[in-house]
Amino acid sequence: MRSIATLILAITAIPEIFSISSSTVKPFAPEPATLSLKQELYRLCDGTRNGIDADDQTRSEIARVVRELETMQPTELVPTELPLIGSRHKLIYCESKGGSSGKIGPFVGAVEQLFATDDTNFTNCVTLGPLRIALAAERKVIDDRRIKVKFREITATAFGIELIKKPSTGSGVWTQRFVDDELRIMDTPSLFIIRRESDALPTLIDVLNNPAGYIAEE
């Protein structure tokens, strides 16, 4: 009789167990309510070469969408607590005209932000053909929205061969305006919009820069 009663209790608990597991949502999971705004933002940023070619009207529209997204940031979340270990992010728009936009002379390279083993150390990379410029940096949380960033070292490589490596002494404070698992919008103080790349495959340049990391062990 005792075993039957135990079985009955277990069966009656099943709906509650499923209710708990089905209601578990990642804290920074994208909100359905922001989907249309983010799609509009991606459309506006597309073709601007990281913002370099954006005209005044496009910039104004992007600023409007950013303000609307900012008002939709869930108040219960702390933007500076977004987990970043092992993530890779691509710059899709910025208001900077300098090297942080990926601009090298008349050309504009792809800009990525890479986090490897922790949330503190990261690398900003500009890739233009075989040329890769990597800026190593570290970040320290100031409060719920602000992060202190200190740049440490800059490295330039071509076809995986190191051309130059030297210390960097720049620093700044980045203010998070909208953050979720997919998208980060911040003032650095220039506006930067960065989109996470999901399970991105390594590029040829990645392999050339770190061939040992892609050699299978037998």
Side-chain angles (χ1 to χ4, degrees), residues 97-115:
K97 297 293 187 180
S100 54
S101 67
K103 195 174 190 313
I104 304 175
F107 307 103
V108 179
V111 180
E112 292 181 306
Q113 190 174 89
L114 313 174
F115 290 84

Side-chain angles (χ1 to χ4, degrees), residues 2 20 24 30 32-33 41 52 65 68 77 87 93 100 105 107 118 123 125 142 144-145 151 173 198 215:
R2 181 176 299 177
I20 293 172
T24 302
L41 183 63
I52 296 295
V65 176
E68 291 185 39
L77 296 181
S87 63
Y93 177 86
S100 54
F107 307 103
D118 56 51
T123 306
C125 298
I142 298 175
D144 289 356
R145 289 190 173 271
F151 301 110
V173 175
S198 56
I215 297 174

Side-chain angles (χ1 to χ4, degrees), residues 171-218:
S171 64
V173 175
W174 296 357
T175 302
Q176 318 300 301
R177 297 182 60 181
F178 177 86
V179 169
D180 68 12
D181 258 345
E182 176 188 358
L183 182 67
R184 292 156 60 213
I185 302 174
M186 65 189 79
D187 289 334
T188 70
S190 298
L191 174 66
F192 274 74
I193 301 175
I194 303 174
R195 186 176 185 181
R196 184 188 292 254
E197 296 182 290
S198 56
D199 300 324
L201 294 174
T203 66
L204 175 60
I205 303 301
D206 291 329
V207 177
L208 290 172
N209 277 323
N210 182 26
Y214 299 97
I215 297 174
E217 295 182 3
E218 295 183 0

